[in-house]
Amino acid sequence: MSLKAFELVPAVEREMLMGDKARINVECIECCGKNLYIGTNDCFVYHFLLEEKISAEKVTFAATKQLHKYLGFKKAVSELKAASALNRLLVLCDNTITLVNMMNLEPIPTGARIKGAVTFTVNENPMSGDPFCVEVCIISVKRRTIQMFMVYEDRVQIVKEVSTPEQPCAVAVDGHYLCLALTTQYIILNYNTGISQDLFPYCSDEKRPIVKRIGRQEFLLAGPGGLGMFATVDGISQRAPVHWSENVIGAALCFPYVVALDDEFITVHSMLDQLLKQTLSFKEGHILQDFEGKVFVATNKGVYILVPLPLERQIQDLLSSHRVEEALILAKAARRNIPKEKFQVMYKRILQQAGFIHFAQLQFLEAKELFRSGQLDVRELISLYPFLLPTSSSFTRSHPPLHEYADLNQLTQGDQEKMTKCKRFLMSYLNEVRSTEVANGYKEDIDTALLKLYAEANHESLLDLLVSENFCLLTDSATWLEKHKKYFALGLLHHYNGQDAAALQLWVNIVNGDIQDSTRSDLYEYIVDFLTFCSDQELVWKYAEWVLQKSEEVGVQIFTKRPLEEQGKNSFNPDNVMNCLNKYPKSLVKYLEYLVLDKKIKKEKYHTHLAVLYLETVLKLKSVTTDNCVELTETQTKLRSLLQKSDFYRIHFILDKIKGTDLHMERAILYGKLEEHDKALHILVHESKDFAAAEDYCIWSSESKDLPYRQRLFHMLLSVYLNPGSSDCELVMAAVDLLNNHAAEFDAARVLQLVPDSWSVQLLSPFLTGAMRESIHAKRMTQITLGLAKAENLIYKHDKVKLKGSPVILSDKKLCQVCQSPFCEPAFVRYPNGGMVHTHCAANRLMNPNMTHHSQT
């Protein structure tokens, strides 16, 4: 695909040069500033002044002939080189280099010249350091010889002569390095050291060699197979070659392009990607040279200039042709020719344009990277999607536009599958950039667009967006959510914007079936949870009846699961809550359990109320069912636990309600609370006949009590079992089991007095064994305790002896360390450090608390 990188513009046309002289041909050209010099086949040098004119972005050149000069030879002018620092033009004609004045073309008075030159070149990287001297390298008429000259304003001086392995055909010079085209190969030769390095073979008989210095220590050569080869002075190539035609005549560099001339065409290749960018038809051309950034071509009859188009325009042309990679490569290369700030602005825009090209081709990964690198205002992308930008957005697209599309419909040509893919990409891209610097300044536009995309696509991330920090605009978003029947999400939006009442009303309407939205199947539970954490008490009361009517067990959570930080401040008054819950018995029980068991409020009315509710439920269930009922069992267990563990209910009140029922265990617990253990045990043993419960009663009733109290309960139970008025075998066996299972809880001596003489030792062997073990254990523990006490006493005695070991001398000359007064009586206090004080000073509260003391008289 072609790119217009250059335009061919005439500089000096045939009529200006030769008029009606048909035999005059252009042999060589040179340009220095505005001065253009042309050497002809009839030994004339023409001087023209070139003026560049720019109008309507079109460049033209106007050449004004200054003069022409005949050099006096019968041969053609072969080469021209300008040395502006010396105001000299070097002219090669008939193997002689003549120095003439640049302005009047007159030979210099001294007649200094260089003879025996086949061709020559000027060292553009001279080593002499003299600004008024030019280094010239010639291929001498002497076989296989290169000569170096220093050319001054009025004289020349040979400084070096170098022999070459073969006859040189062409030469270029950089510093001490010569790049030579020999008869069969190219070489690099350091004329200062004489060291040479072969590059690659080449046959000068078949093709015209090209050796062109293109930069510091780098050359361009015509290689085999029509390749334009790059080589450094180290003999290596740092760039890939370009593909020319086989019959290239000349080459030049105009960054980033390599321009080549053959018999029919001018070709333009990129140094960056080696691709052919442009081909211009140009017949009979035989000269191609570049001077100070300008590329000149010439036929025998005229001179032309290849004017490069601005790189920005070339890049835009590439983008218009969707040649994105080439455009980006060229844009990066443009950095060296464009001021930094201008380049950055231009390059960002190019990246953005390239991103839209990839986007239109549904190459989303590439598009995303380009959008990011180009720091795209993401609204440019959003604006492609109809109705996504908020109505309040002030955004207008970039001008000139970054792309050619009005909207997504035009871009996809109505293809729904493509539109879906584009929307999916935008969702992903917006989600990535919304929390980055890219979103700064227009987060509302991004989040609102993202919400609309999620809602339209029924995307699960819609809810995640609304429950996290977001900048969705309420009016636009609410309308869109309503349009797509996303009522639950709309409620979240209202909640995020502090409109909890509106949110709750929407959700309640969904649960009631007034509006349809299947987003959450557990919406009722969600509402309960929302009210639980809602700090607006008025709103909670407003919907309390509704949630309780739906489910008493779940609805009560709005009062029982409120957050800890709310408890104690602005919390719901329990009496008010209970008044509300009176119509909902299950909720009331749950709430009282919360007050009594969870919050552990020690108020009699709550404990009594809960016990009564448990009791009523148990009695009700007992009256309607005879089978094992799970609810009955659970409630009865709760009632017993409350009666056992709580000390705040009205015992007599509950007892009155239980009398006359078969709730034996509950009555026993209540008698136990009244310390009427004999009645309790009598009920459990004789009425309930639940011996295990009787044992459990003794255990829990004696919790946190001392051993005598515990033993008293167990002895009391044993007495009930062994009541002389009862001869029930079950009671006897229960007594035996009690003794054998709880030997440690009895005083063995008392037991032996109580048990009937008819009982065998074998019957009570577990009890007796346990009693003996316990007795021996107690004896040994007492011995250990006594031994430890004696050891401790011995330590104290030892300390006392040590303290008495050294005498304490007290005289009326010793002073109290506290009051500094003498001792008037023998009573004193001595500290371990030897200090002595009055007894009344030691008692002073201001004394040093770290000093332990003892009295000594």
Side-chain angles (χ1 to χ4, degrees):
M1 296 176 72
S2 180
L3 166 71
K4 192 171 183 180
F6 294 91
E7 282 186 328
L8 192 61
V9 179
V12 179
E13 297 189 82
R14 174 184 179 129
E15 293 76 14
M16 292 186 63
L17 185 62
M18 58 196 70
D20 55 357
K21 298 178 181 178
R23 293 183 180 180
I24 296 177
N25 294 329
V26 175
E27 292 291 330
C28 57
I29 57 176
E30 169 71 328
C31 185
C32 181
K34 293 183 179 182
N35 300 292
L36 174 64
Y37 301 92
I38 299 174
T40 63
N41 62 333
D42 58 352
C43 204
F44 275 87
V45 175
Y46 291 79
H47 178 198
F48 293 90
L49 205 59
L50 272 183
E51 289 290 341
E52 184 176 339
K53 297 181 179 179
I54 303 174
S55 60
E57 297 187 5
K58 191 170 182 66
V59 178
T60 58
F61 291 90
T64 307
K65 184 176 176 181
Q66 303 298 298
L67 74 160
H68 62 280
K69 182 74 175 177
Y70 177 61
L71 297 182
F73 297 98
K74 293 182 179 180
K75 292 190 177 181
V77 177
S78 303
E79 289 186 55
L80 297 170
K81 299 288 181 186
S84 57
L86 309 178
N87 192 30
R88 295 291 179 261
L89 182 67
L90 281 67
V91 183
L92 174 60
C93 182
D94 195 17
N95 299 128
T96 300
I97 300 173
T98 305
L99 277 63
V100 301
N101 187 290
M102 284 182 65
M103 295 299 106
N104 58 24
L105 302 182
E106 292 291 338
I108 60 171
T110 62
R113 62 186 60 193
I114 301 173
K115 295 183 179 181
V118 176
T119 184
F120 77 101
T121 188
V122 173
N123 190 349
E124 295 176 22
N125 180 24
M127 304 307 295
S128 69
D130 185 348
F132 300 104
C133 169
V134 174
E135 294 181 14
V136 175
C137 173
I138 73 165
I139 295 177
S140 175
V141 291
K142 292 169 60 178
R143 285 188 57 77
R144 297 188 299 176
T145 302
I146 298 290
Q147 293 177 331
M148 301 297 298
F149 286 86
M150 304 291 283
V151 176
Y152 298 90
E153 186 178 5
D154 55 0
R155 61 190 177 90
V156 297
Q157 177 184 346
I158 186 167
V159 293
K160 193 79 172 179
E161 184 172 288
V162 182
S163 295
T164 60
E166 299 175 0
Q167 179 62 33
C169 308
V171 64
V173 61
D174 182 285
H176 286 135
Y177 293 95
L178 304 176
C179 185
L180 294 167
L182 303 180
T183 309
T184 62
Q185 63 178 339
Y186 288 103
I187 67 167
I188 295 289
L189 175 63
N190 186 323
Y191 70 80
N192 189 45
T193 62
I195 297 173
S196 67
Q197 182 170 345
D198 296 346
L199 295 178
F200 49 84
Y202 185 80
C203 182
S204 59
D205 295 335
E206 296 177 6
K207 294 179 185 178
R208 179 176 173 180
I210 295 174
V211 181
K212 176 73 179 177
R213 178 185 182 272
I214 60 170
R216 187 174 179 82
Q217 298 189 342
E218 188 173 15
F219 304 94
L220 175 63
L221 314 171
L227 291 178
M229 306 283 287
F230 298 93
T232 67
V233 295
D234 296 319
I236 61 174
S237 179
Q238 295 176 328
R239 308 176 198 272
V242 294
H243 290 268
W244 289 334
S245 65
E246 289 285 347
N247 50 349
V248 173
I249 299 168
L253 182 75
C254 182
F255 188 85
Y257 298 112
V258 176
V259 184
L261 174 68
D262 62 24
D263 298 335
E264 296 184 355
F265 301 102
I266 299 170
T267 57
V268 179
H269 287 79
S270 171
M271 294 173 65
L272 308 173
D273 57 15
Q274 293 75 50
L275 296 178
L276 176 64
K277 301 297 182 180
Q278 186 180 7
T279 303
L280 296 95
S281 178
F282 192 75
K283 297 190 177 183
E284 299 181 357
H286 71 106
I287 297 173
L288 171 64
Q289 286 182 273
D290 60 288
F291 305 105
E292 300 170 354
K294 288 190 180 71
V295 180
F296 287 75
V297 288
T299 63
N300 287 331
K301 307 301 182 185
V303 179
Y304 303 85
I305 299 177
L306 283 172
V307 178
L309 271 66
L311 284 177
E312 292 178 57
R313 180 174 163 188
Q314 295 181 43
I315 294 165
Q316 291 304 319
D317 288 345
L318 287 169
L319 290 173
S320 298
S321 304
H322 294 179
R323 293 159 68 181
V324 174
E325 294 306 317
E326 293 179 62
L328 292 176
I329 291 170
L330 184 56
K332 288 177 185 175
R335 180 177 309 192
R336 62 188 285 176
N337 298 328
I338 300 175
K340 182 178 179 181
E341 290 184 8
K342 182 181 178 183
F343 171 78
Q344 287 177 342
V345 172
M346 180 198 80
Y347 190 59
K348 284 180 183 178
R349 178 178 171 80
I350 292 166
L351 290 172
Q352 293 168 13
Q353 290 177 278
F356 276 108
I357 290 169
H358 280 300
F359 175 75
Q361 295 169 346
L362 307 187
Q363 296 168 345
F364 298 127
L365 282 176
E366 294 85 349
K368 180 172 72 172
E369 288 306 312
L370 290 165
F371 288 153
R372 277 183 173 175
S373 304
Q375 299 175 9
L376 176 73
D377 180 341
V378 73
R379 295 175 297 178
E380 288 279 1
L381 185 57
I382 296 172
S383 67
L384 271 174
Y385 297 70
F387 311 115
L388 284 196
L389 278 175
T391 52
S392 59
S393 176
S394 59
F395 172 74
T396 54
R397 287 186 182 177
S398 173
H399 186 78
L402 295 171
H403 53 80
E404 59 192 19
Y405 306 104
D407 57 24
L408 198 62
N409 292 314
Q410 181 192 347
L411 186 147
T412 61
Q413 297 180 340
D415 187 319
Q416 289 301 312
E417 185 180 351
K418 289 182 178 179
M419 289 184 75
T420 302
K421 288 180 179 178
C422 290
K423 288 177 179 178
R424 226 180 279 139
F425 164 71
L426 184 61
M427 272 190 269
S428 169
Y429 185 63
L430 293 181
N431 187 50
E432 287 183 26
V433 303
R434 63 186 294 264
S435 57
T436 66
E437 292 181 2
V438 175
N440 289 348
Y442 31 86
K443 292 185 176 182
E444 293 86 354
D445 293 354
I446 291 176
D447 281 2
T448 303
L450 192 55
L451 176 141
K452 290 179 178 181
L453 286 167
Y454 283 157
E456 185 181 22
N458 195 27
H459 199 282
E460 58 187 11
S461 297
L462 173 62
L463 304 184
D464 295 331
L465 174 67
L466 289 170
V467 298
S468 58
E469 183 184 12
N470 67 79
F471 296 87
C472 299
L473 294 174
L474 179 60
T475 306
D476 264 80
S477 301
T479 304
W480 194 270
L481 291 172
E482 201 165 346
K483 172 186 173 184
H484 291 278
K485 302 187 186 307
K486 298 294 179 185
Y487 299 110
F488 175 72
L490 179 55
L492 291 177
L493 178 69
H494 282 303
H495 167 57
Y496 189 82
N497 285 275
Q499 300 175 357
D500 287 353
L504 277 166
Q505 190 58 59
L506 271 169
W507 295 335
V508 167
N509 289 343
I510 295 171
V511 175
N512 289 340
D514 300 333
I515 52 179
Q516 301 300 314
D517 185 344
S518 59
T519 302
R520 289 195 72 131
S521 58
D522 62 341
L523 183 54
Y524 167 73
E525 288 79 6
Y526 181 87
I527 295 172
V528 171
D529 195 51
F530 183 86
L531 287 170
T532 301
F533 289 88
C534 179
S535 58
D536 186 345
Q537 290 194 21
E538 185 178 339
L539 203 57
V540 177
W541 283 120
K542 179 179 177 181
Y543 289 97
E545 293 278 350
W546 181 84
V547 296
L548 291 167
Q549 287 169 5
K550 290 287 179 185
S551 171
E552 290 188 41
E553 291 89 341
V554 178
V556 74
Q557 293 176 9
I558 65 174
F559 301 117
T560 62
K561 291 193 174 180
R562 302 200 69 77
L564 288 173
E565 58 268 18
E566 190 180 308
Q567 297 177 12
K569 57 176 184 178
N570 302 322
S571 58
F572 286 82
N573 185 303
D575 294 334
N576 294 338
V577 175
M578 289 170 66
N579 288 335
C580 171
L581 298 179
N582 277 331
K583 294 183 288 185
Y584 309 99
K586 292 180 181 178
S587 296
L588 183 57
V589 169
K590 292 281 186 186
Y591 185 67
L592 283 168
E593 287 176 344
Y594 161 71
L595 294 178
V596 171
L597 305 178
D598 296 340
K599 293 194 71 178
K600 303 190 183 306
I601 294 177
K602 299 176 181 180
K603 283 193 176 182
E604 173 271 323
K605 62 179 179 179
Y606 301 148
H607 287 249
T608 303
H609 198 165
L610 180 58
V612 169
L613 289 175
Y614 281 155
L615 181 58
E616 289 175 349
T617 303
V618 169
L619 294 174
K620 181 181 176 183
L621 291 171
K622 276 182 171 289
S623 67
V624 298
T625 181
T626 55
D627 299 328
N628 289 331
C629 175
V630 175
E631 186 181 357
L632 173 60
T633 305
E634 289 180 352
T635 308
Q636 198 162 6
T637 303
K638 289 180 180 179
L639 173 60
R640 290 175 181 177
S641 176
L642 177 65
L643 295 178
Q644 285 178 358
K645 295 177 180 177
S646 173
D647 296 321
F648 302 101
Y649 56 87
R650 291 159 59 192
I651 301 172
H652 290 289
F653 179 76
I654 303 298
L655 194 57
D656 289 341
K657 284 186 170 292
I658 287 180
K659 282 180 180 177
T661 69
D662 61 348
L663 301 178
H664 304 303
M665 186 63 185
E666 288 76 5
R667 274 197 301 137
I669 293 169
L670 290 168
Y671 279 123
K673 286 287 183 178
L674 294 171
E675 292 290 327
E676 297 180 16
H677 299 299
D678 52 345
K679 291 182 180 179
L681 291 171
H682 185 274
I683 290 169
L684 295 173
V685 173
H686 294 295
E687 295 183 31
S688 179
K689 294 191 180 296
D690 190 342
F691 306 134
E695 291 182 22
D696 289 340
Y697 174 87
C698 293
I699 293 170
W700 68 258
S701 293
S702 60
E703 281 181 359
S704 71
K705 299 289 176 56
D706 57 13
L707 180 61
Y709 188 95
R710 189 182 188 88
Q711 286 185 344
R712 185 165 67 87
L713 283 180
F714 274 93
H715 277 284
M716 197 177 292
L717 177 57
L718 181 63
S719 298
V720 172
Y721 286 153
L722 299 177
N723 187 345
S726 173
S727 59
D728 191 335
C729 289
E730 279 189 305
L731 295 180
V732 173
M733 291 310 300
V736 173
D737 290 340
L738 178 67
L739 287 170
N740 288 335
N741 293 333
H742 299 280
E745 314 300 343
F746 290 93
D747 181 343
R750 285 179 61 193
V751 170
L752 292 175
Q753 292 175 359
L754 286 173
V755 298
D757 296 336
S758 59
W759 288 14
S760 67
V761 172
Q762 184 179 1
L763 186 66
L764 290 177
S765 64
F767 166 73
L768 293 172
T769 303
M772 286 295 292
R773 185 181 294 115
E774 183 64 28
S775 176
I776 293 170
H777 175 70
K779 177 182 177 183
R780 288 174 177 170
M781 290 302 293
T782 304
Q783 289 174 338
I784 291 171
T785 304
L786 179 62
L788 290 172
K790 286 181 178 179
E792 187 178 15
N793 181 257
L794 187 62
I795 291 169
Y796 288 146
K797 283 182 177 180
H798 177 256
D799 289 344
K800 184 177 179 182
V801 169
K802 283 203 305 184
L803 290 170
K804 286 184 174 182
S806 55
V808 178
I809 300 171
L810 181 67
S811 69
D812 56 0
K813 293 181 180 179
K814 285 205 180 244
L815 301 179
C816 171
Q817 286 191 345
V818 174
C819 67
Q820 299 300 314
S821 299
F823 291 91
C824 301
E825 54 185 21
F828 64 93
V829 173
R830 180 180 181 272
Y831 291 120
N833 64 0
M836 292 184 289
V837 299
H838 293 118
T839 52
H840 59 270
C841 291
N844 191 317
R845 290 183 181 180
L846 298 177
M847 73 178 206
N848 187 348
N850 296 320
M851 299 179 71
T852 59
H853 61 275
H854 66 277
S855 296
Q856 183 174 348
T857 60

